[in-house]
Amino acid sequence: GAASSGARTPWLVDPLPLTLDAAEWTTLERGLAQRAVLLDAVLADLYSDRTLLRNRVLPPAAILAHPGFTRPADRLALPNRRQLVLTATDLGRDASGAWRVISDRTQAPAGSGYAMATRRIVSRVLAGLHRGSDLARLRGFFHAMTGALLDAAPGASETPRVVLLSPGSASETAYDTGFLAATLGFPLAEADDLVVSGGRVWLRAGDDLEPVDVVLRRVDALLADPLEFRGNSEVGLPGMVETARQGAVTIANPVGAGVLDNPALIAYLRPVAQAL
């Protein structure tokens, strides 16, 4: 991996992978899918009708004072669609051995590239075990992610163009971002590779400009668009949020998604689920 200073740091892979049997994984998978649906509903409510705040299901201070609550994202919703394309959840076991959620990561979730790269390392180092085990394959996740990104495109483009917006090679997750782009088959772009013109986002391709329908965002929201957020950001694309507001591009995850990366929210998810 690369640290934020650009220095290379060693990649540590546990020589004894954590193994989960099919029954345990199926239970986890079902719970995580259910959680993703719930978080999506929370996100949609917080940036539209805010019934959870108005009815005091959630304490307003825990949401409105959270740095992930971004006012430029208000009413910036995908019509009739889920808002969250990707969620990541940190898990741990409690004293009884049961799985518990430690935190959610929806701002710009990283790790899927690392997971695939680690699986490839394990397949070489423990080749016999890898071949002899009936492992759940990771490829299906990336196929599903590709489909979700294409489905998120606005309008009726037959062949939507997706780009992965990266903060650059100095980012601490640069390897993960690059590996993910290569696995998905979408171009990796930095802000300088893109331009907003005529109400659309365009990708520079030599002397040409190619229209972009979906931006898979790996730049934190506060740095993603200098016209809307931090004005001194050098890794953001000026005007990108306004094009999303006009329905000309989809940003995944939306720039307001960081409000879900909130420890206070975890304590309220049961009454939230009942309210929604």
Side-chain angles (χ1 to χ4, degrees):
S4 55
S5 64
R8 309 304 287 181
T9 55
W11 184 329
L12 303 178
V13 177
D14 196 316
L16 294 175
L18 173 68
T19 55
L20 304 176
D21 64 28
E24 187 173 28
W25 172 247
T26 299
T27 302
L28 269 178
E29 186 177 35
R30 189 182 301 123
L32 290 169
Q34 183 186 53
R35 189 180 191 86
V37 172
L38 176 59
L39 290 175
D40 177 73
V42 173
L43 183 67
D45 182 74
L46 290 178
Y47 287 106
S48 58
D49 297 334
R50 284 188 270 283
T51 60
L52 294 171
L53 298 182
R54 288 212 310 271
N55 297 334
R56 292 294 195 266
V57 181
L58 287 173
I63 300 301
L64 302 180
H66 188 266
F69 184 77
T70 55
R71 283 163 179 77
D74 196 50
R75 309 284 165 180
L76 184 59
L78 303 176
N80 305 318
R81 291 205 183 112
R82 288 187 178 164
Q83 306 302 301
L84 283 179
V85 172
L86 194 61
T87 64
T89 304
D90 291 330
L91 299 171
R93 294 188 194 272
D94 65 14
S96 71
W99 287 103
R100 299 293 178 198
V101 171
I102 297 169
S103 61
D104 296 294
R105 299 180 185 272
T106 56
Q107 167 71 260
S112 51
Y114 289 136
M116 179 61 96
T118 298
R119 177 65 68 89
R120 290 186 180 180
I121 292 169
V122 170
S123 71
R124 290 174 190 156
V125 176
L126 302 174
L129 179 65
H130 188 264
R131 277 196 303 270
S133 303
D134 184 19
L135 290 177
R137 303 297 172 186
L138 299 181
R139 185 65 62 180
F141 169 84
F142 294 97
H143 285 315
M145 187 174 174
T146 298
L149 289 167
L150 294 174
D151 288 344
S157 173
E158 286 188 17
T159 54
R161 177 175 289 279
V162 181
V163 300
L164 200 156
L165 177 60
S166 163
S169 59
S171 163
E172 60 187 12
T173 60
Y175 182 90
D176 175 76
T177 304
F179 202 99
L180 176 62
T183 304
L184 296 176
F186 297 138
L188 187 64
E190 295 180 35
D192 288 347
D193 301 316
L194 301 169
V195 64
V196 172
S197 176
R200 291 208 64 169
V201 176
W202 305 82
L203 174 68
R204 301 181 198 274
D207 294 332
D208 296 327
L209 293 176
E210 299 179 353
V212 172
D213 301 289
V214 180
V215 175
L216 177 56
R217 177 177 65 85
R218 290 296 286 268
V219 175
D220 282 355
L222 292 180
L223 299 173
D225 184 338
L227 296 183
E228 302 277 350
F229 299 107
R230 198 173 294 167
N232 61 353
S233 170
E234 296 180 1
V235 296
L237 176 61
M240 179 174 68
V241 170
E242 181 59 26
T243 61
R245 205 173 275 130
Q246 298 301 325
V249 75
T250 297
I251 303 171
N253 277 341
V255 288
V259 72
L260 301 175
D261 299 358
N262 186 345
L265 191 59
I266 293 177
Y268 293 92
L269 282 183
R270 189 174 294 278
V272 161
Q274 293 167 346
L276 292 178

